[in-house]
């Protein structure tokens, strides 16, 4: 059941405005306050909120988000993650990487998940507060059932066993590690407790003595990761969280890894999707993001027919009629009009906390915002869809900041857009249009 105000815009406090503008000034996607910038997402909210409600009630959902570079995939998933967090979900966002988060090694994915785990009350990693809250809940339940102080440890252990019965069928060491963590705390062994919790979070190379004391052996492997994820979902639910929202960002990087690793990663993704759909992970909302080349190309999902079948979605109709309930969501990217609308929204948000709000609105009017958007798009070969990051960075850092601080600064007179290669990403650099034939480098 959704809270009454879950979709209502949160008031723009000074701290939230500052967090947003600071991130945009750096050319980054804000970590919070994304509801202040959300434009054009209304068509998704009803279906996505219904899915979040279902997950909070014990269902599980998988979603694939597709869009070209600059279409707002990271923004979209963080915006949805904020909505989930306001509903009481824990959230974790990871970027798929051949070296840091290889998808064909699910034990590494699980480890990154616990490292990035965050809640409304705790930043990453929130694993320890979540586990501590779970044991507190078990103690409260035991006391409510009539347990005395002397019987409390034994009754808590009984509840632990009962709550993790299903998990223990697949990953018995998960429950053993939790017992070892609680025992170490009771004995005042903080170092041992931290080591056991690190092992529970999938960290390798935990001291052998700590593992022996907790009754666990070895390191988490690819197949054990599913059982540990089950256990984490159980702990989250019983500690008061309504679910877990997980993002695997930039899965298109799989197209650039070795063919053997790519095939293993694609199969791991197929297996993960099947486990979500089978109901093994109640309370999990899993999202992946990727470019159309990943979903449609022969070096991506199409390389594994069963995966391609699970991701198949009809996008032959007008984007206006895309089905937000489908397994894949298409982000069409920015048009010149929507980019200007976003710029105006940022301008107004900035002005609300500016030292000279009237001057900001007067000198950076809607016409100037449109001119700047057009100029940035032109510097990137006319590709408006890849312009948002650079446009907002220029708007906040080069224009709005100067107008607010210098009374005699007029961007029409004193500012000329410059785009240097060092401030561009690889994709933006490739799209930057040469101004003349002399600017084209030829290898002769």
């Amino acid at each position: 059941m959704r809270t009454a105000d879950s979709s209502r815009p949160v008031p723009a406090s000074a701290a939230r405005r500052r967090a947003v503008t600071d991130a945009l000034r750096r050319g980054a996607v804000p970590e919070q306050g994304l509801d202040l910038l959300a434009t054009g997402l209304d068509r998704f909210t009803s279906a996505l909120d219904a899915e979040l409600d279902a997950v909070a009630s014990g269902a599980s959902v998988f979603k694939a988000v597709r869009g070209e570079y600059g279409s707002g995939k990271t923004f979209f998933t963080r915006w949805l993650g904020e909505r989930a967090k306001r509903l009481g979900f824990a959230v974790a966002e990871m970027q798929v990487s051949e070296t840091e988060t290889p998808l064909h090694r699910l034990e590494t994915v699980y480890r990154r998940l616990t490292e990035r785990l965050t809640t409304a009350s705790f930043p990453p990693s929130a694993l320890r507060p979540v586990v501590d809250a779970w044991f507190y809940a078990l103690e409260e339940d035991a006391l409510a059932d009539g347990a005395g102080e002397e019987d409390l440890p034994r009754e808590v252990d009984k509840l632990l066993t009962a709550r993790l019965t299903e998990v223990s069928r697949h990953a018995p060491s998960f429950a053993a590690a939790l017992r070892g963590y609680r025992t170490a705390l009771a004995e005042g062994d903080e170092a041992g407790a931290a080591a056991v919790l690190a092992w529970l979070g999938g960290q390798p190379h935990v001291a052998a003595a700590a593992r022996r004391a907790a009754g666990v052996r070895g390191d988490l492997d690819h197949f054990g990761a599913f059982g540990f994820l089950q256990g984490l979902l159980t702990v989250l639910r019983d500690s008061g969280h309504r679910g877990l929202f997980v993002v695997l960002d930039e899965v298109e990087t799989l197209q650039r890894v070795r063919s053997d690793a790519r095939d293993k990663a694609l199969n791991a993704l197929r297996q993960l999707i099947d486990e979500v759909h089978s109901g093994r992970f109640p309370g999990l909302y899993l999202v992946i993001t990727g470019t159309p080349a990943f979903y449609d190309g022969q070096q991506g999902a199409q390389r594994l027919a069963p995966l391609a079948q699970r991701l198949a979605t009809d996008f032959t109709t007008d984007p206006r009629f895309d089905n937000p309930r489908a397994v894949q969501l298409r982000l069409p990217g920015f048009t010149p009009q929507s980019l200007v609308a976003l710029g105006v929204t940022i301008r107004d948000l900035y002005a609300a906390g500016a030292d000279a709000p009237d001057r900001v609105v007067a000198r950076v009017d809607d016409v100037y915002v449109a001119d700047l958007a057009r100029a940035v798009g032109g510097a990137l070969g006319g590709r408006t869809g890849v312009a948002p990051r650079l446009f907002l960075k220029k708007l906040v850092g080069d224009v709005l900041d100067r107008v607010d601080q210098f009374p005699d600064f007029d961007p029409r007179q004193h500012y000329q857009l410059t785009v240097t290669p060092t401030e561009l990403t690889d994709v933006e650099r490739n799209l930057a249009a040469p101004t003349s034939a002399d600017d084209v480098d030829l290898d002769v």
Side-chain angles (χ1 to χ4, degrees):
M1 182 173 62
R2 187 165 66 249
T3 55
D5 60 349
S6 63
S7 59
R8 189 178 304 161
V10 179
S13 66
R16 297 179 78 232
R17 287 196 304 266
R18 185 168 56 251
V20 169
T21 55
D22 284 350
L24 296 178
R25 190 180 289 116
R26 300 191 308 271
V29 176
E31 295 284 348
Q32 55 182 311
L34 296 176
D35 57 299
L36 304 175
L37 312 181
T39 58
L41 298 180
D42 292 345
R43 63 195 181 102
F44 296 118
T45 54
S46 178
L48 295 177
D49 282 349
E51 289 178 346
L52 288 171
D53 286 345
V55 172
S57 300
S60 53
V61 167
F62 168 80
K63 212 76 171 180
V65 177
R66 67 186 276 147
E68 296 287 0
Y69 178 87
S71 60
K73 297 186 294 296
T74 299
F75 178 94
F76 177 85
T77 54
R78 289 185 182 173
W79 166 78
L80 184 55
E82 276 198 347
R83 297 178 77 83
K85 194 177 291 186
R86 288 201 297 271
L87 287 172
F89 281 63
V91 175
E93 175 191 332
M94 299 156 282
Q95 285 191 338
V96 176
S97 163
E98 182 179 10
T99 56
E100 296 296 323
T101 315
L103 197 53
H104 65 283
R105 298 182 57 193
L106 290 178
E107 71 275 20
T108 304
V109 175
Y110 173 80
R111 181 166 76 246
R112 296 288 178 249
L113 189 160
T114 60
E115 291 171 351
R116 297 290 299 161
L117 188 68
T118 181
T119 67
S121 302
F122 296 98
S125 166
L127 180 61
R128 181 161 189 167
V130 165
V131 171
D132 289 344
W134 185 64
F135 276 115
Y136 178 79
L138 294 184
E139 290 177 354
E140 290 295 301
D141 289 347
L143 291 172
D145 289 339
E149 290 295 330
E150 294 182 358
D151 300 332
L152 188 59
R154 184 172 63 253
E155 295 303 317
V156 167
D157 190 68
K158 289 182 180 178
L159 285 176
L160 183 152
T161 301
R163 302 282 171 87
L164 296 177
T165 298
E166 181 64 24
V167 175
S168 295
R169 290 174 50 201
H170 304 282
S173 55
F174 188 89
L178 285 171
R179 289 192 183 91
Y181 171 72
R182 179 174 171 81
T183 299
L185 285 180
E187 295 174 351
D189 183 6
E190 175 61 31
V196 173
L197 193 65
W199 187 88
L200 191 69
Q203 297 294 335
H205 314 307
V206 173
R211 285 187 274 119
R212 280 196 303 271
V216 297
R217 295 182 298 175
D219 293 327
L220 180 64
D221 61 18
H222 177 88
F223 300 101
F226 282 135
F228 273 47
L229 178 57
Q230 268 187 288
L232 179 61
L233 288 167
T234 300
V235 169
L236 284 167
R237 182 194 64 214
D238 290 349
S239 60
H241 297 87
R242 304 183 70 192
L244 174 62
F245 181 86
V246 176
V247 178
L248 294 175
D249 204 8
E250 298 184 359
V251 294
E252 68 268 13
T253 59
L254 296 179
Q255 300 171 105
R256 300 191 291 272
V257 304
R258 299 188 323 272
S259 60
D260 58 335
R262 184 190 315 147
D263 291 342
K264 291 178 182 177
L266 293 173
N267 190 59
L269 180 58
R270 189 273 312 162
Q271 186 180 6
L272 186 55
I273 294 171
D274 287 349
E275 294 287 3
V276 171
H277 288 160
S278 73
R280 181 175 178 180
F281 302 123
L284 177 64
Y285 196 121
L286 175 64
V287 180
I288 66 170
T289 75
T291 59
F294 168 77
Y295 295 110
D296 303 334
Q298 292 303 314
Q299 299 305 314
Q302 299 301 317
R303 188 179 176 93
L304 182 64
L307 176 62
Q309 292 165 6
R310 286 154 178 76
L311 296 174
T313 305
D314 178 19
F315 290 117
T316 60
T317 58
D318 189 306
R320 293 180 302 160
F321 305 118
D322 282 358
N323 178 14
R325 299 174 183 172
V327 67
Q328 263 194 73
L329 293 182
R330 172 170 57 179
L331 300 183
F334 283 90
T335 64
Q337 295 76 20
S338 62
L339 189 62
V340 172
L342 178 59
V344 170
T345 298
I346 298 299
R347 189 271 320 276
D348 293 343
L349 181 69
Y350 186 101
D355 295 332
D358 293 338
R359 186 167 70 238
V360 166
V361 174
R363 294 189 183 172
V364 189
D365 57 18
D366 293 5
V367 175
Y368 180 82
V369 171
D371 290 343
L372 182 62
R374 189 161 45 249
V376 174
L380 296 178
R383 296 287 298 276
T384 304
V386 302
R389 186 196 73 85
L390 188 61
F391 165 60
L392 296 177
K393 183 175 185 292
K394 296 292 184 181
L395 177 63
V396 174
D398 290 356
V399 177
L400 293 174
D401 280 345
R402 286 170 170 158
V403 170
D404 190 34
Q405 295 177 84
F406 305 108
D408 56 343
F409 178 80
D410 186 339
R412 289 183 171 85
Q413 299 180 34
H414 305 122
Y415 177 69
Q416 182 177 359
L417 175 69
T418 58
V419 178
T420 61
T422 56
E423 63 183 324
L424 299 178
T425 64
D426 290 340
V427 174
E428 292 167 344
R429 194 176 299 114
N430 291 336
L431 291 170
T435 58
S436 74
D438 293 334
D439 293 329
V440 180
D441 292 328
L442 298 178
D443 186 10
V444 296

